[in-house]
Amino acid sequence: MPDVTPKASHFIDGNYVEDTDGAVIEVVYPATGKTIAQVHSATSNIVEMAIASGLKAQEIWSQTSPVERGRVLRRAADMIRERNRELSILETLDTGKPLQETLVADATSGADALEYFGGLAASLTGEYIPLGDDFVYTMREPLGLCVGIGAWNYPTQIACWKAAPALCCGNSVIFKPSEVTPLCALKIAEILIEAGLPRGCYNVVQGYGDVGGALVTDPRVAKVSLTGSVPTGRKVYAAAGAGVKHVTMELGGKSPLIIFDDADIENAISGAMLANMYSSGQVCSNGTRVFVHKNIKDKFCERFAERSAAIRIGDPLDEETHMGPVVNEEQLEKVLGYIEIGKKEGARLICGGNRIADKDGFFVEPTAFADVTDDMTIAREEIFGPVMSILDFEDEQEVIARANDTEFGLSGGVFTQDITRAHRVVAQLHAGTCWINTYNLAPVEAPFGGSKSSGVGRENSKAAIEHYSELKSVYVAMTPVESAY
Ligand code: NDP
């Protein structure tokens, strides 16, 4: 086991900083349940240092030429790719996700974001608006100091997805990782500074929700971007709203995946597996309500159970392992609780359903329930574990209405060979991100985010620029002012 103890808990103004007065945060490796490092929650002194440094640095960074800003981000992307294995191992130790996944989905995705926004930085321009003699021009300006608050499921990716567009536009960032996974963002901060980012442009402070709260309510903070659950989103949005701050909210979901009877069934099962078992099911956009046409339901259930049995569960650091534990004991209890509720409410277990008791860590079997109905708790609430619900349907309009009957609106997917039906169905899904004949791919080129309670704003793509900058209009008069008095 590599020593992953960071030099200190926080990274501010280009340096590791410690204040042991802050509450201890134990970093637990989910595959063993053992503590592998400790950090301290930020005290008010640490928060103040981070804010002061971020404000000062933002003045310098916003004056740095866009082409140079882009170069720094692209250099950081290259460095992340060079250090992919080391960063992936850290991600695995922080989250318990298997190395087989983290090698391809975490630091690499973060590098993509830095590369993409590095490429965009120099092309952000304003507009010239002719008005006869007079004219208006617009300037795209950074917002200032942005706060990013992360969930624990993708700590490296979330740190980068927030840093890249923010820095591209000339903002500075303070990132607060989830206290469950505090390690990865510190490495990203180190790399950004090594790549040439001015000190203070990307600070990391550790802490529980109260630290996030202190950052969100500080009047010097211009923007808040949260990745987290809907209940936390409501609180953070309200706190940011009180200060009329810009927000991006990437929140939870209970997304539908609709499988028609003409779909390639093995491909659809691959999609459903990806949509429920990847990262032990701890993915916000997961398609956890799998609507399967009644004509193929039995075959689907039978093959899903067979293929689930082939999932290799175990040591996340072994590259042959497909699936690791869930992130911590609390999440384990939550997931097992939902499995019990599923059984009690009459859903039929077709595979899994238990904790894997012969392992020390927080392992749960890949679990699927059939005969789930729309009103069951497991079909309504976000479980955030490897638990899939299979619901039957017969009619297209019926399934669309049922798919949309939820407060969430993050994602949705459809498997069918009928091209017109595929487009017709996704057009009617109330969701920010949809897939046809695949699931959960989130390339940086495409906007990502939710509708309804699942969020506000979009990450990635050119759309993210709108959420990290604002326009200034400048009216230019070419003739004297006309004044009647
Ligand atoms: P939480 O909502 O519990 O926490 C998210 C972050 O917010 C944490 O860093 C947390 O700190 C912090 N926080 C909590 N309360 C406050 C507060 N009052 N003010 C400021 N910050 C606060 O989410 P989880 O970490 O449990 O992550 C799982 C959730 O994230 C799921 O619902 C999932 O769907 C969602 N998610 C959404 C994604 C998307 O892009 N839409 C992507 C990934 C996950 P602390 O942990 O210390 O309490």
Side-chain angles (χ1 to χ4, degrees):
M1 182 79 59
D3 181 10
V4 290
T5 308
K7 284 187 204 143
S9 300
H10 319 286
F11 191 93
I12 300 173
D13 221 38
N15 298 305
Y16 275 95
V17 181
E18 191 57 272
D19 182 348
T20 51
D21 283 350
V24 170
I25 297 172
E26 305 271 351
V27 188
V28 173
Y29 180 38
T32 59
K34 302 243 158 57
T35 298
I36 53 169
Q38 268 189 354
V39 293
H40 291 269
S41 181
T43 55
S44 51
N45 281 344
I46 291 288
V47 170
E48 185 52 38
M49 272 175 79
I51 292 176
S53 138
L55 289 170
K56 203 160 134 252
Q58 199 264 329
E59 284 177 23
I60 300 164
W61 185 236
S62 61
Q63 296 305 315
T64 304
S65 80
V67 78
E68 171 60 14
R69 291 209 298 260
R71 197 176 297 132
V72 169
L73 298 191
R74 283 183 284 108
R75 212 179 284 138
D78 290 345
M79 290 168 65
I80 287 176
R81 287 209 181 86
E82 278 157 26
R83 292 170 60 176
N84 184 39
R85 178 161 284 274
E86 170 208 339
L87 295 169
S88 302
I89 290 172
L90 190 64
E91 172 93 16
T92 289
L93 294 171
D94 225 358
T95 62
K97 294 186 295 179
L99 199 51
Q100 193 185 81
E101 283 186 17
T102 56
L103 281 170
V104 297
D106 292 280
T108 53
S109 160
D112 284 355
L114 289 160
E115 185 172 12
Y116 178 88
F117 287 103
L120 270 190
S123 65
L124 303 180
T125 54
E127 220 185 345
Y128 168 82
I129 303 165
L131 299 166
D133 290 336
D134 296 353
F135 60 93
V136 165
Y137 64 91
T138 62
M139 299 160 74
R140 187 166 285 284
E141 297 190 325
L143 302 175
L145 175 58
C146 302
V147 163
I149 300 177
W152 42 257
N153 58 343
Y154 281 82
T156 305
Q157 184 192 76
I158 293 171
C160 293
W161 280 21
K162 297 195 189 307
L167 296 173
C168 161
C169 295
N171 303 286
S172 59
V173 178
I174 300 175
F175 185 72
K176 190 207 81 73
S178 163
E179 93 282 356
V180 178
T181 53
L183 302 178
C184 301
L186 292 169
K187 287 287 162 200
I188 297 304
E190 262 183 45
I191 288 172
L192 281 165
I193 298 299
E194 222 180 304
L197 188 69
R199 290 160 180 271
C201 285
Y202 188 79
N203 295 328
V204 176
V205 299
Q206 309 292 351
Y208 297 91
D210 60 324
V211 173
L215 290 167
V216 169
T217 48
D218 193 288
R220 293 166 292 179
V221 168
K223 147 116 203 179
V224 178
S225 175
L226 170 81
T227 299
S229 62
V230 173
T232 302
R234 287 207 173 92
K235 279 190 244 164
V236 173
Y237 197 1
V244 199
K245 296 180 199 296
H246 296 256
V247 294
T248 302
M249 295 279 139
E250 291 290 349
L251 310 177
K254 190 75 197 176
S255 300
L257 171 57
I258 305 172
I259 300 174
F260 285 93
D261 55 355
D262 64 344
D264 174 331
I265 197 159
E266 288 301 324
N267 195 41
I269 290 169
S270 299
M273 293 241 157
L274 198 61
N276 284 276
M277 303 305 162
Y278 203 73
S279 303
S280 299
Q282 303 165 119
V283 182
C284 53
S285 49
N286 269 358
T288 45
R289 287 184 296 142
V290 182
F291 292 92
V292 181
H293 195 281
K294 78 169 196 4
N295 292 347
I296 56 165
K297 176 196 138 184
D298 291 341
K299 179 80 188 151
F300 182 92
C301 289
E302 185 192 325
R303 285 291 297 139
F304 190 90
E306 277 168 21
R307 287 179 57 179
S308 291
I311 295 176
R312 279 192 295 273
I313 304 164
D315 176 6
L317 290 167
D318 176 350
E319 276 182 60
E320 298 300 310
T321 296
H322 293 133
M323 197 166 145
V326 297
V327 79
N328 60 17
E329 181 124 35
E330 191 187 332
Q331 196 61 21
L332 175 75
E333 293 305 330
K334 185 177 158 203
V335 172
L336 293 174
Y338 274 112
I339 292 173
E340 283 316 304
I341 292 172
K343 289 180 193 164
K344 273 202 196 96
E345 291 186 358
R348 177 168 58 91
L349 204 53
I350 61 163
C351 59
N354 301 297
R355 178 178 187 171
I356 300 178
D358 65 348
K359 292 187 169 44
D360 291 335
F362 314 117
F363 290 87
V364 185
E365 289 172 346
T367 299
F369 284 102
D371 303 339
V372 177
T373 54
D374 296 342
D375 55 340
M376 287 183 185
T377 309
I378 56 168
R380 303 217 65 82
E381 296 181 12
E382 186 182 46
I383 299 174
F384 231 55
V387 183
M388 178 170 112
S389 293
I390 301 170
L391 303 94
D392 307 355
F393 79 95
E394 282 186 65
D395 172 72
E396 183 181 309
Q397 279 314 309
E398 164 222 328
V399 78
I400 292 168
R402 291 168 59 200
N404 286 334
D405 182 20
T406 165
E407 68 159 317
F408 300 108
L410 189 53
S411 310
V414 57
F415 276 79
T416 176
Q417 309 270 21
D418 179 340
I419 186 170
T420 51
R421 173 154 65 193
H423 294 290
R424 191 168 63 231
V425 171
V426 292
Q428 293 175 80
L429 290 180
H430 300 161
T433 310
C434 290
W435 292 276
I436 295 174
N437 291 333
T438 188
Y439 207 85
N440 260 352
L441 303 178
V444 67
E445 296 90 336
F448 182 83
S451 357
K452 302 202 282 186
S453 297
S454 290
V456 177
R458 293 292 176 265
E459 293 199 299
N460 288 340
S461 81
K462 282 180 262 179
I465 298 299
E466 299 297 330
H467 302 292
Y468 283 99
S469 61
E470 61 189 352
L471 290 175
K472 177 184 279 174
S473 296
V474 182
Y475 189 111
V476 182
M478 300 299 285
T479 52
V481 174
E482 278 180 35
S483 172
Y485 43 85

